[in-house]
Amino acid sequence: MTFKTIASKSAALLDSELMSTGGFTLEQLMELAGLSVAQAIFHQTPPPGKVLVLVGPGNNGGDGLVAARHLKLFGYDLAYYYPKKSEREPHYAKLVKELEDLKVTELKALEDTKRYMHQVDLIVDALFGFSFKPPLREPFGEVLTALKAAREKAIICSIDVPSGWDVDNGPIDEEINFDPQMLVSLSAPKPCSLRYHGYHWLGGRFISPEIAKKYGIETVTSRYRGCDQVVRL
């Protein structure tokens, strides 16, 4: 299926416009994105199943925390690893509290997380999004190396952009880059997804027809059906 992509600069402008003239808050967009990811996983690999969410320090990580909450409520056995908790936005601490209240296991140590990667059915890659720029700081380099190895046994679902990929050009480091079996693009597919050949979903059913037309993505945003927040591309 052919589809329109938007480059990193346009994606940043789209997010900015949604939060200015569009009337959305960052927290709303994060909730909608995380729900979309969880719903795509539910469609692709229904519960029960054992899931590990790898959480990064930015908004992509926030999407992962929201997805983790929904996946727990959908019936999955959940654990998450969040090594660099963000202090930039107080909202992230609230997302963690919500997981605590649901008794979702938080893995504290990297070595425990690496072992756990080989015991799960699916790993959610919520480490870095379209704003990622190298160099890669630890412990994330080690996490990505372990994630690449874990791909042999577990399905990896990346949120928006596979971590470590350049949003426009795709894989940039053979040692750490991996090909997830599943990708959930948010708002609109990014150019790197043209180099992706696994299960590709689009989430983010919140863009108005006018904004979709402005960014040239109305052909993908019009594909949603029924009450689904995602569509398979």
Side-chain angles (χ1 to χ4, degrees):
M1 179 185 295
T2 58
F3 50 83
K4 173 71 182 297
T5 65
I6 57 173
S8 55
K9 290 183 179 180
S10 294
L13 288 173
L14 174 57
D15 279 357
S16 178
E17 185 163 350
L18 288 170
M19 289 186 286
S20 56
T21 58
F24 289 93
T25 64
L26 175 62
E27 290 83 359
Q28 283 180 298
L29 294 177
M30 204 169 285
E31 284 294 320
L32 291 164
L35 174 60
S36 297
V37 171
Q39 194 177 88
I41 291 171
F42 185 92
H43 284 313
Q44 190 71 52
T45 58
K50 200 169 185 177
V51 178
L52 170 64
V53 182
L54 300 175
V55 183
N59 292 344
N60 198 262
D63 297 340
L65 292 171
V66 173
R69 182 191 344 117
H70 287 294
L71 290 170
K72 176 69 174 180
L73 294 171
F74 288 173
Y76 295 88
D77 181 1
L78 250 292
Y80 71 103
Y81 177 58
Y82 190 11
K84 297 288 185 181
K85 291 183 170 64
S86 175
E87 297 179 356
R88 183 179 59 183
E89 294 283 349
H91 185 62
Y92 293 107
K94 295 178 182 179
L95 296 176
V96 169
K97 177 63 168 61
E98 292 162 5
L99 294 180
E100 291 174 352
D101 289 346
L102 289 173
K103 309 301 186 215
V104 176
T105 300
E106 180 181 4
L107 300 173
K108 302 284 189 177
L110 176 58
E111 292 305 315
D112 291 341
T113 302
K114 289 163 66 174
R115 285 191 292 269
Y116 200 78
M117 285 185 190
H118 297 278
Q119 302 172 21
V120 300
D121 303 299
L122 185 140
I123 302 172
V124 179
D125 162 30
L127 294 170
F128 303 108
F130 67 77
S131 59
F132 169 74
K133 294 287 186 297
L136 193 64
R137 296 178 177 84
E138 295 300 342
F140 297 110
E142 196 168 346
V143 171
L144 288 185
T145 299
L147 185 58
K148 184 176 181 179
R151 187 189 184 281
E152 296 180 7
K153 294 185 177 181
I155 294 173
I156 299 173
C157 173
S158 291
I159 298 180
D160 208 23
V161 177
S163 290
W165 284 32
D166 179 86
V167 62
D168 293 326
N169 301 313
I172 56 177
D173 187 333
E174 291 185 2
E175 291 188 8
I176 61 169
N177 285 152
F178 58 92
D179 291 312
Q181 296 94 324
M182 184 176 174
L183 173 66
V184 183
S185 293
L186 297 174
S187 300
K190 312 309 183 291
C192 66
S193 66
L194 296 174
R195 302 183 62 176
Y196 175 72
H197 303 291
Y199 298 107
H200 191 185
W201 293 79
L202 174 67
R205 193 178 185 178
F206 47 77
I207 298 174
S208 70
E210 291 77 14
I211 292 180
K213 184 176 181 180
K214 178 178 178 178
Y215 286 85
I217 55 175
E218 65 269 30
T219 57
V220 290
T221 58
S222 64
R223 295 181 189 272
Y224 297 107
R225 294 292 181 267
C227 61
D228 281 343
Q229 301 301 303
V230 292
V231 63
R232 173 87 179 271
L233 296 180

